[in-house]
């Protein structure tokens, strides 16, 4: 087999690596964990509710996958460092990090009864910690081992709110905009200071139905789209909400050798939302 043919056949090979996924029991994080595990990746799920007996861990182990579930609050730097030690002892150093922990909080969203001026500091801090500070901490802890290894891929999960600030969610929009900025800064830092084989990118999902945003998009009394949900579909050329599997191809590309010359970018996976001006 020629070197060129061997290279082409290995372009998307990611088996036998170790991946850490924060928010690993959420809709998007859990789906990405399943996908990577089925590609032969050793997967460690970090989540406030993750445990060795959680449903997703049991299901993947039943398939014969190598998976580890660890309870971890991404806002607690010491907890992340302890989780990293357990992961390295079990699977070896992580070369893939997916920062999928995030979400909004009702108390940090404006309404007709709760104007921007009355949002409480603790609600703001919770959203910033969950989305931005937690991503920062995980990049520090797992990025250090990638620096020692001389290779790795970090994929941060951003949001449409980072690119086009959305009404009602000022704290979430600000936090995700910070994730995008951190992605770009860290991509340059890792390549210049440590190794060009350490890449940092982000995915900006469009509108996917999760437990975090269900109340904003679906009317619980009817099960139909809310007014906000209809406006979103009207502004999405593909005229549907995203499904978790819509992220798999982009994720696979970003953590594989196929994107070896790609770092510091944000990839929208949004059905055309960010490209559409409404006319």
């Amino acid at each position: 087999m020629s070197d060129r043919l061997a290279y082409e056949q290995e372009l998307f090979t990611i088996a036998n690596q170790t991946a850490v996924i924060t928010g690993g029991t959420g809709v998007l994080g859990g789906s990405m964990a399943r996908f990577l595990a089925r590609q032969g990746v050793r997967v460690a799920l970090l989540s406030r509710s993750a445990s060795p007996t959680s449903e997703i861990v049991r299901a993947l182990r039943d398939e014969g996958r190598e998976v580890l579930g660890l309870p971890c609050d991404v806002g607690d730097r010491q907890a992340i460092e302890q989780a990293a030690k357990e992961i390295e002892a079990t699977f070896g150093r992580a070369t893939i990090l997916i920062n999928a922990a995030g979400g909004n909080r009702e108390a940090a969203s404006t309404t007709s009864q709760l104007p921007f001026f009355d949002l409480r500091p603790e609600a703001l801090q919770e959203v910033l910690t969950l989305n931005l500070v937690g991503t920062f901490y995980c990049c520090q802890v797992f990025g250090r081992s990638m620096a020692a290894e001389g290779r790795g891929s970090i994929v941060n999960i951003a949001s449409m709110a980072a690119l086009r600030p959305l009404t009602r969610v000022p704290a979430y929009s600000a936090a995700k905009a910070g994730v995008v900025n951190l992605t770009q800064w860290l991509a340059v830092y890792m390549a210049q200071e440590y190794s060009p084989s350490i890449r940092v990118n982000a995915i900006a999902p469009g509108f996917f139905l999760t437990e975090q945003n269900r109340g904003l998009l679906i009317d619980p009394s009817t099960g139909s789209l809310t007014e906000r949900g209809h406006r979103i579909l009207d502004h999405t050329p593909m005229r549907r909400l995203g499904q978790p599997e819509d992220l798999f191809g982009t994720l696979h590309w970003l953590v594989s050798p196929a994107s070896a010359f790609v770092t510091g970018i944000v990839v929208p996976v949004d059905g055309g939302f960010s490209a559409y001006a409404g006319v």
Side-chain angles (χ1 to χ4, degrees):
M1 182 184 299
S2 69
D3 290 343
R4 169 58 61 179
L5 181 57
Y7 166 75
E8 292 174 355
Q9 290 185 343
E10 295 293 319
L11 264 181
F12 289 94
T13 299
I14 56 176
N16 300 316
Q17 294 194 61
T18 295
V20 175
I21 302 181
T22 71
T25 58
V27 172
L28 300 185
S31 296
M32 289 187 283
R34 292 184 185 92
F35 172 75
L36 291 178
R38 288 165 183 164
Q39 309 310 306
V41 175
R42 297 179 292 270
V43 176
L45 288 78
L46 304 187
S47 174
R48 288 177 178 176
S49 59
S51 74
T53 58
S54 68
E55 182 180 348
I56 183 171
V57 171
R58 286 199 311 270
L60 287 171
R61 284 179 176 169
D62 287 345
E63 294 180 16
R65 313 299 178 185
E66 293 185 271
V67 59
L68 179 66
L70 295 172
C72 182
D73 181 348
V74 296
D76 183 341
R77 171 70 183 263
Q78 288 186 327
I80 299 168
E81 290 175 340
Q82 181 58 41
K85 290 178 182 176
E86 294 185 46
I87 293 165
E88 185 168 345
T90 305
F91 290 152
R93 283 177 175 161
T95 53
I96 297 172
L97 169 63
I98 314 298
N99 281 306
N104 192 37
R105 294 292 182 265
E106 185 176 355
S109 300
T110 61
T111 66
S112 56
Q113 292 78 39
L114 182 61
F116 169 80
F117 314 106
D118 295 332
L119 295 177
R120 301 296 300 166
E122 56 269 23
L124 170 63
Q125 189 60 58
E126 184 179 3
V127 172
L128 290 174
T129 297
L130 177 60
N131 293 279
L132 176 57
V133 177
T135 296
F136 198 106
Y137 286 164
C138 288
C139 286
Q140 286 184 310
V141 172
F142 294 103
R144 186 191 297 274
S145 64
M146 291 181 187
E149 191 79 9
R151 65 189 180 101
S153 176
I154 296 174
V155 178
N156 296 323
I157 304 303
S159 168
M160 279 297 102
L163 308 180
R164 307 186 65 156
L166 307 176
T167 60
R168 296 183 57 182
V169 290
Y172 180 73
S173 295
K176 287 300 190 181
V179 169
V180 167
N181 188 277
L182 173 63
T183 298
Q184 295 170 325
W185 185 92
L186 190 58
V188 174
Y189 179 77
M190 294 298 253
Q192 290 186 337
E193 301 292 331
Y194 292 97
S195 170
S197 295
I198 303 172
R199 300 178 299 104
V200 187
N201 295 291
I203 296 173
F207 292 88
F208 290 67
L209 188 61
T210 69
E211 294 309 311
Q212 297 277 359
N213 64 17
R214 182 177 295 275
L216 289 173
L217 302 182
I218 302 294
D219 185 330
S221 62
T222 65
S224 58
L225 287 171
T226 61
E227 179 185 355
R228 186 180 181 86
H230 281 294
R231 289 204 307 269
I232 287 167
L233 286 196
D234 287 343
H235 205 91
T236 302
M238 287 189 173
R239 299 291 295 173
R240 69 173 177 87
L241 297 175
Q243 300 293 325
E245 54 268 26
D246 291 323
L247 299 174
F248 295 170
T250 303
L251 177 66
H252 196 173
W253 173 58
L254 288 176
V255 300
S256 74
S259 60
F261 197 51
V262 177
T263 197
I265 69 165
V266 182
V267 184
V269 181
D270 65 352
F273 182 92
S274 59
Y276 183 43
V279 293

